[in-house]
Amino acid sequence: MQILTQFLTAIAGEVYKHGTMKHLAQTLKALSDPIRLRIILLLESEGELCVCDLIEVLKLPQSTVSRHLAYLKRSCWVDTRREGLWMHYSLSKESCTICKEVLHTLKQNASTLHEAVSDRITLSTFLKTKVTPNC
């Protein structure tokens, strides 16, 4: 109950700050897709990942993963960093209060879900066998 109260208080403050429900809806809608939620949890556990790392874990085509990452970027969930031809993604360092509160709740409740644990194991195995650190 305390987590819910803190979360709702943060949302109320953020809605007031941005002056519209549109920001709130876009922020929360970004996590309504299981693929995007898995990406957020992977970035939370690893820090920064290249698109090729996410493709390997999610077992999805590059275009699909990139589309989900673009959605998360537009929703202020992720930051990008270019290294040569490759884009690296990390959770936004300047995320809004809503994102921080939701991420905190996700860490506490979703990171132990079977799919999240399996994704982290798959990523760890892939990173150990990856031939070059850059994709």
Side-chain angles (χ1 to χ4, degrees), residues 33-43 45-46 49 53-60 110-127:
D33 183 275
I35 300 300
R36 291 192 294 268
L37 188 55
R38 288 170 67 194
I39 290 170
I40 291 293
L41 289 170
L42 283 165
L43 291 173
S45 70
E46 189 61 32
L49 293 170
D53 302 329
L54 293 166
I55 290 168
E56 182 66 29
V57 174
L58 301 171
K59 305 293 187 224
L60 294 170
S111 61
T112 58
L113 295 173
H114 172 73
E115 210 166 12
V117 172
S118 177
D119 284 349
R120 286 195 307 272
I121 291 169
T122 302
L123 177 63
S124 177
T125 303
F126 172 69
L127 292 176

Side-chain angles (χ1 to χ4, degrees), residues 69-84:
L69 286 165
Y71 194 102
L72 289 169
K73 184 177 179 183
R74 284 191 309 273
S75 302
C76 302
W77 277 103
V78 299
D79 291 330
T80 59
R81 178 180 66 83
R82 180 174 291 283
E83 187 174 316

Side-chain angles (χ1 to χ4, degrees), residues 17-32:
K17 180 178 162 185
H18 290 280
T20 127
M21 284 287 196
K22 186 176 181 178
H23 172 73
L24 174 61
Q26 184 176 4
T27 300
L28 296 176
K29 186 178 176 186
L31 300 181
S32 68

Side-chain angles (χ1 to χ4, degrees), residues 89-117:
Y89 293 84
S90 60
L91 291 176
S92 178
K93 291 170 181 55
E94 297 180 20
S95 60
C96 65
T97 305
I98 294 171
C99 293
K100 289 175 185 173
E101 291 292 328
V102 170
L103 186 59
H104 178 72
T105 302
L106 286 174
K107 282 194 285 191
Q108 288 183 325
N109 300 290
S111 61
T112 58
L113 295 173
H114 172 73
E115 210 166 12
V117 172

